[in-house]
């Protein structure tokens, strides 16, 4: 496999916690501009895989490359985020004591050191960008509300909005539609497809309708490695996937 | 008349002795009578040595008498007697057997004079003599004395004693004594080298000073050999010193363990920093004080039992206060560890002031029961009983807790709550109860730690303050949620402290330890034996 | 919308506080010096001294608030920064004594003569210049905080662990400063000061000037902290408090964010200590006592952390109470202080100012809910406020400032 022209390249990655192998010889390749859905039973290692990519967990062995040449195992979370990898957590995590707008202000792409932040004045360009994101995530009306007061689904969207504000090349989205109504789910699928036009996206989700909605290549993880990969129809026809995940 | 009678008696006695004791008896008597003709100190000394050379314990009496100035010569027949003065006459005793041998007028006898150097000789000779004693302890003591003041003339006696000796330890000591005597003798170099080698193996302070003294005056190969032996002894001594430090460290570690172990439990299970933990220790110590006061006034005979009585009481008192704190304050602050820290700090202030109000601000006297006082030597280690018992006690407490945690269902519940509180709750474990009892247990253990600490520390309202930061350091260093971590943490901090002390002094040593821990936390933010997993990270 | 209201209300309050402090800085010295003692408006010297001391405490509490209230770092070692600033100032004051010491040694402070030292240790050089001492007042605590924080935050020591090691830090310094050979006067510390900048420290005018300086420093402290927390960085600081790992995944270096606040806060504490020492006339190792640092925490908690004004109110109230108590019932002060710790954490977790805000807020909401409903039947009128109730809980400051949210 060649690394060039890939946005994310995992090869032979393993990690274990106290002897328990959460990721076992995992290999996964994502092309530039691709959107990928990842499914798999609880504890399959989906979130752990994201931890590895974003620098939260160091792999015991294996290669993790971003954008073809950057070795992610040598960088920490902040550096990886600055390179252009955005992440949405499984449990929505926003800054609850700040307004929606401030949440986005803190996420906007820009210098990340202390003194610029201390003397920061919001530019016209930034305001425009924030308006744009608020429009995309349909949170305009709540702009000055505290994030703590948002509903669960709105928090999910705010977090996606924060990802967009970061302007990453690669988005890792962990269970974006958990706890959403069907309408909201559909809306989220539309949003993600919109985003995927310009960026690479990895989506982890259990909701098969949502995955179908996305209409992209699917990877099924099980016990820390790839069980099956291909179109959704192909994967869901796979005996083993049915066995461990979908059920008969 | 008198003379005749005396002669007759002597004759009889001589017969008796000839029958009862060895055939040398006559020879011995012969030598004793030489005192009568010996003129001048050197001559007397020669006789003393001659007596000593026989190695017969029977000469002890005459030598002692000589040394005390009680040995007389009867002018009439040059007979030698031990005399007991009484007015104008003196009663005479036989010099060997000590049997009465008649009386004599003062004018009829002359005292044999001794000077100090002669007395020294007599002492040495007597030392040699006791080598023949029946009691191994006396023989050992004699050998030790001879080792410390070596005398070349004692070598033959020592050789004889060594040949006869059956007790291995006494024999070894005699050989040491012989070696030290060889060093001051004019025996050939080879013998001296062998002696040095033997002494080098011994390696205590006395040998060291002996050999250093020898080395200063020796030449050539002997000097080198002595130098090597000195070096060897020095390194042995350093080893013992290290051992002593380890012991001090372990002893400090056991104190830390006692103080910290309760904290480790509450912190581990509840994630609660109990700043009043030190005050629980203090309550335990004051309980001991009260128990001893009551015993002193009502039943002094029970004093040796005071600690045994205080232990359960201290556990109950401190545990009860702990339970009250948990029910009254901490349970409302669940999930807010920093605020719990502040609230318990407030409690600690209140408890301190309460004790100060009741018992006064000064130190209270808590006595050591007899079995806690004193010290003994182990090799070259000096070990005090109270420290030893505290170590034993700390390990017992540790073992019991380990058992409770690992083998009882309550322990299982505690561990479940430590690992994952929410999951434990949903499995039907009543976490509030686990919390309350855990807190009471942790406090109760602090209380019994207080009983132990009252034996080595001042019992004052500030007692707890002195331990709290150290206990935290132990818990933080050892890691949360693991009793073994606390044990290792306490012991390594104790030992580290004691090893730094000689170089840096007590205060600087402590500062260094604190700095090291602060640095250590950087490397392992969750301590030596950290729990891992997501629940912990969150 | 509540957030906006809050901010606006808080801003006005802070502006008023600054104005009051500046006014006090001018008025009190005048009332002390220019108004004759017979007048009812005369402020006696002991009040000036006492309140001057409280103002230094307030600055210390404010410094703690910056890290605890806004960043969730519960430092139990802020007394150390305060004391270090105090020692730096004390060293300057010692050098000003010159030949007037008991031993009359022009070169060495009394305690060094007493210890038979022959020359000034290297770290005492430069302290005969005020500018140098002033620099050290900020530099030494700042540097210590920087180094300590750099280690601690980089390895992600948080929560109670961090609190405990800050306590260990001040404890270690306490032990160190007790040592005679540290060269800071050991047990007795530094005292018997004579002059500051050529003025007699005992003189009324000097004391008034020091009072004014403390009030102005506090006002400046409030202003700076206010600007800091109002900036994007301030928002980031609170973001780190609430969801540290979120900020990391957004590319922020959370450790640097904390480090900056910690260092600034230590510098503020150092300045507070430096102003405190000439007013009380002594600095000794007792200031490093961990108990002192925890007391600062309770001032902040009483007033309300994360409110800027709260810590000032808390410091003034608690210390006022302490002065009164130790005068009236000395043996009960510890009971009172202990009780205060417990009561504040149990019943007043947001402090006085926080509670006030909450109360104002719910009142405003109730009124807002009531106004448009004049024509509506009473049943609904009863129902509405109930529905609105949850908003009262909306004030988001997590009660436990130190625990980061789980990041998944
Ligand atoms: N830091 C950690 N410490 C210990 N075990 C961990 C850690 N992180 C993950 N694990 C374990 O690794 C396994 C994989 O977890 P992961 O969260 O990646 O699963 P997942 O596929 O995201 O599951 P889900 O669909 O429920 O979100 C789990 O068994 C989990 O307990
Ligand atoms: Mg997951």
């Amino acid at each position: 496999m060649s690394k060039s022209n890939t946005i994310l390249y995992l090869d032979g990655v393993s990690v274990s916690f106290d002897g328990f192998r959460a990721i076992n010889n995992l290999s996964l390749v994502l092309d530039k501009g691709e959107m990928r859905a990842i499914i798999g039973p609880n504890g399959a290692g989906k979130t752990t895989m994201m931890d590895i990519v974003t620098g939260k967990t160091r792999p015991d062995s294996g290669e993790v490359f971003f954008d073809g040449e950057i070795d992610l195992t040598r960088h920490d979370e902040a550096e990886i985020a600055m390179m252009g990898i955005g992440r949405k957590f499984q449990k929505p995590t926003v800054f609850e004591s700040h307004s929606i707008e401030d949440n986005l202000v803190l996420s906007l792409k820009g210098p990340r050191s202390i003194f610029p932040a201390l003397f920061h004045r919001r530019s016209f360009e930034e305001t425009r960008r924030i308006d744009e994101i608020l429009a995309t995530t349909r949170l305009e009306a709540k702009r000055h509300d505290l994030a703590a007061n948002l509903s669960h689904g709105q928090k999910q969207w705010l977090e996606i909005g924060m990802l967009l504000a970061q302007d990453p090349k690669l988005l890792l989205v962990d269970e974006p539609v958990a706890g959403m109504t069907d309408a909201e789910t559909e809306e989220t699928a539309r949003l993600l497809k919109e985003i995927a036009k310009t960026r690479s996206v990895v989506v982890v989700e259990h909701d098969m309708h949502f995955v179908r909605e996305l209409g992209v290549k699917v990877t099924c993880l099980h016990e820390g490695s790839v069980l099956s990969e291909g179109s959704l129809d192909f994967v869901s026809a796979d005996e083993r996937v049915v066995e461990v995940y979908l059920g008969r | 008349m008198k003379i005749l009678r005396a002669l007759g008696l002597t004759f009889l006695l001589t017969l008796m002795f000839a029958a009862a004791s060895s055939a040398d008896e006559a020879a011995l008597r012969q030598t004793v009578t030489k005192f009568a003709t010996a003129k001048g100190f050197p001559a007397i000394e020669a006789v003393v040595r001659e007596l000593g050379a026989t190695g017969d314990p029977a000469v002890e009496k005459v030598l002692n008498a000589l040394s005390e100035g009680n040995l007389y010569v009867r002018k009439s027949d040059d007979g030698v007697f031990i005399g007991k003065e009484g007015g104008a006459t003196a009663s005479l005793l036989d010099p060997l057997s000590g049997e009465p041998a008649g009386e004599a007028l003062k004018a009829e006898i002359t005292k044999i004079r001794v000077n100090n150097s002669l007395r020294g000789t007599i002492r040495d000779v007597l030392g040699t003599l006791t080598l023949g004693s029946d009691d191994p302890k006396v023989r050992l003591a004699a050998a030790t004395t001879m080792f410390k003041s070596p005398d070349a003339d004692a070598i033959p006696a020592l050789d004889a004693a060594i040949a006869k000796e059956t007790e291995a330890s006494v024999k070894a000591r005699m050989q040491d004594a012989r070696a030290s005597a060889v060093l001051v003798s004019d025996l050939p170099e080879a013998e001296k080298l062998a002696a040095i080698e033997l002494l080098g193996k011994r390696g205590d302070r006395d040998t060291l000073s002996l050999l250093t003294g020898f080395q200063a005056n020796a030449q050539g190969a002997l000097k080198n050999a002595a130098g090597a032996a000195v070096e060897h002894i020095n390194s042995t001594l350093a080893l013992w010193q290290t051992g002593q430090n380890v012991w001090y460290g372990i002893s400090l570690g056991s104190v830390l363990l006692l103080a910290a172990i309760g904290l480790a439990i509450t912190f581990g299970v509840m994630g609660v920093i109990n700043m009043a933990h030190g005050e629980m220790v203090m309550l335990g110590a004051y309980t001991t004080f009260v128990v001893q006061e009551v015993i002193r006034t009502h039943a002094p005979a029970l004093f040796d039992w005071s600690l045994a009585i205080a232990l359960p009481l201290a556990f109950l008192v401190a545990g009860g206060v702990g339970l009250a704190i948990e029910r009254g304050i901490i349970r409302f602050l669940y999930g807010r560890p920093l605020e719990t820290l502040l609230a318990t700090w407030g409690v600690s202030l209140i408890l301190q002031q309460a004790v100060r109000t009741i018992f006064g601000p000064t130190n209270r006297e808590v006595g050591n029961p007899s079995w806690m006082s004193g010290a003994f030597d182990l090799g070259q280690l000096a070990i005090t009983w109270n420290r030893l018992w505290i170590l034993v006690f700390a390990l017992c407490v540790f073992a019991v807790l380990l058992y409770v945690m690992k083998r009882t269902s309550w322990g299982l519940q505690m561990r479940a709550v430590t690992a994952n509180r929410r999951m434990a709750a949903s499995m039907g474990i009543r976490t509030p109860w686990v919390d309350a009892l855990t807190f009471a247990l942790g406090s109760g253990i602090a209380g019994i730690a207080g009983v132990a600490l009252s034996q080595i520390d001042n019992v004052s309202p500030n007692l707890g303050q002195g331990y709290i930061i150290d206990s935290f350091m132990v818990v933080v260093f050892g890691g949360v949620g693991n009793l073994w971590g606390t044990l290792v943490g306490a012991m390594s901090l104790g030992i580290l402290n004691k090893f730094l002390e000689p170089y840096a002094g007590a205060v600087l040593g402590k500062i260094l330890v604190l700095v090291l821990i602060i640095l250590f936390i950087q490397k392992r933010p969750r301590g030596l034996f950290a729990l891992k997993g997501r629940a912990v990270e969150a | 919308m509540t957030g906006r209201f809050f901010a606006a209300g808080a801003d006005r309050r802070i502006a008023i506080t600054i104005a009051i402090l500046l006014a006090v800085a001018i008025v009190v010295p005048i009332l002390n010096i220019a108004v004759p003692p017979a007048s009812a408006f005369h402020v006696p010297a002991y009040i000036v001294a006492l309140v001057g001391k409280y103002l230094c405490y307030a600055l210390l509490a404010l410094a703690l608030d910056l890290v605890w209230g806004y960043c969730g770092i519960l430092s139990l070692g802020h007394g150390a920064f305060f004391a270090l600033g105090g020692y730096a100032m004390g060293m300057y004051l010692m050098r000003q004594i010159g030949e007037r010491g008991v031993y009359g040694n022009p070169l060495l402070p009394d305690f060094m003569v007493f210890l038979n030292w022959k020359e000034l240790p290297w770290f005492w050089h430069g302290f005969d210049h005020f500018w140098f001492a002033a620099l050290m007042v900020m530099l030494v605590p700042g540097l210590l905080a920087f180094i300590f924080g750099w280690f601690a935050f980089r390895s992600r020591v948080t929560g109670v662990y961090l609190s405990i090691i800050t306590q260990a830090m001040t404890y270690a310094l306490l032990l160190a400063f007790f040592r005679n050979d540290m060269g800071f006067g050991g047990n007795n510390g530094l005292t018997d000061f004579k002059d500051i900048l050529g003025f007699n420290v005992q003189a009324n005018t000097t004391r008034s000037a020091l009072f004014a300086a403390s009030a102005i420093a506090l006002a400046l402290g409030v202003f700076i902290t206010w600007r800091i927390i109002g900036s994007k960085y301030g928002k980031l600081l609170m973001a780190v408090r609430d969801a540290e790992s979120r900020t990391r995944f957004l590319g922020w270096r959370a450790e640097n964010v904390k480090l900056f606040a910690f260092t600034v806060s230590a510098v503020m504490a150092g300045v507070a200590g430096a102003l405190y020492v000439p007013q009380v006339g002594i600095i000794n190792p007792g200031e490093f006592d961990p108990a002192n640092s925890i007391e600062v925490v309770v001032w902040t908690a009483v007033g309300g952390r994360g409110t800027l004004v709260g810590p000032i109110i808390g410091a003034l109230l608690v210390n006022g109470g302490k002065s009164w108590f130790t005068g009236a019932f000395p043996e009960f002060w510890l009971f009172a202080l202990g009780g205060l710790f417990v009561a504040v954490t149990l019943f007043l977790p947001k402090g006085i100012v926080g509670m006030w805000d909450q109360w104002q807020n719910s009142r405003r909401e109730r009124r807002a809910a009531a106004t448009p409903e004049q024509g509506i039947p009473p049943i609904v009128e009863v129902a509405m406020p109930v529905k609105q109730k949850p908003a009262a809980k909306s004030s988001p400051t997590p009660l436990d400032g130190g625990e980061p949210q789980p990041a998944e």
Side-chain angles (χ1 to χ4, degrees), chain A residues 17-18 20-23 40-49 51 56-57 90 174-175 204 206 221, chain B residues 532-535 537, chain C residues 408:
Chain A
F17 302 104
D18 297 328
F20 169 74
R21 282 217 157 192
I23 295 286
N42 295 120
K46 306 181 293 291
T47 302
T48 308
M49 180 210 79
D51 286 348
K56 182 164 185 259
T57 303
Q90 186 162 347
D174 204 347
E175 306 201 7
V204 167
H206 288 295
L221 292 191
Chain B
K532 296 194 191 94
R534 277 185 183 173
E537 277 169 34
Chain C
E408 269 134 304

Side-chain angles (χ1 to χ4, degrees), chain C residues 93-115:
Chain C
L93 295 172
M94 281 312 259
R95 301 296 287 130
Q96 295 307 299
I97 296 175
E99 292 181 18
R100 287 168 293 175
V102 177
Y103 295 104
N105 190 317
L107 195 67
L108 298 181
D110 275 350
F111 75 89
M112 291 189 194
V113 182
F114 185 74
L115 290 175

Side-chain angles (χ1 to χ4, degrees), chain A residues 2 4-5 58-59 68 71 122 124 145 148 192 203 209 212 242:
Chain A
S2 144
S4 60
N5 216 30
R58 295 242 169 278
D71 183 354
R122 198 186 303 170
F124 177 73
D145 275 15
L192 282 180
V203 187
H209 290 292
R212 187 167 296 283
V242 174

Side-chain angles (χ1 to χ4, degrees), chain A residues 77 87 89 91 97-98 159, chain C residues 156 235 242 246 407-408:
Chain A
E77 296 106 314
R87 173 175 185 185
F89 291 109
K91 174 175 171 239
S97 51
H98 287 316
E159 207 176 353
Chain C
R156 305 191 185 175
K235 290 180 178 135
D242 295 345
R246 205 347 139 209
E408 269 134 304

Side-chain angles (χ1 to χ4, degrees), chain A residues 47 51 54-56 76-79 81-82 85-98 102-103 105-108 111-122 126 144-146 148-149 159 162-163 166 174, chain C residues 1-4 6 156 227-261 264 390-391 393-398 405-408:
Chain A
T47 302
D51 286 348
T54 52
K56 182 164 185 259
D76 68 5
E77 296 106 314
E79 279 168 348
M82 285 300 283
I85 298 185
R87 173 175 185 185
K88 193 200 93 55
F89 291 109
Q90 186 162 347
K91 174 175 171 239
T93 312
V94 294
F95 304 126
E96 307 225 328
S97 51
H98 287 316
D102 284 344
N103 266 283
V105 168
L106 288 178
S107 317
L108 274 182
R112 286 292 196 247
S113 38
I114 303 299
F115 289 98
L118 207 50
F119 301 108
H120 175 83
R121 293 189 157 275
R122 198 186 303 170
E126 282 176 330
H144 295 304
D145 275 15
L146 289 182
N149 297 349
E159 207 176 353
M162 288 162 76
L163 283 196
Q166 249 182 297
D174 204 347
Chain C
M1 247 174 304
T2 50
R4 267 286 143 128
F6 258 138
R156 305 191 185 175
R227 298 315 304 169
I228 288 179
I229 59 157
S231 70
K232 183 175 170 186
Y233 167 78
K235 290 180 178 135
L236 185 59
L237 195 63
M238 289 177 254
V240 168
R241 173 191 68 192
D242 295 345
E244 179 171 334
S245 58
R246 205 347 139 209
T247 58
R248 288 185 199 279
F249 289 111
L250 285 176
W252 295 103
R253 296 213 156 273
E255 56 270 24
N256 293 353
V257 175
K258 293 187 196 176
L259 189 56
F260 180 77
V264 169
K393 281 197 294 184
S394 71
S395 174
T397 327
Q405 278 181 0
E408 269 134 304

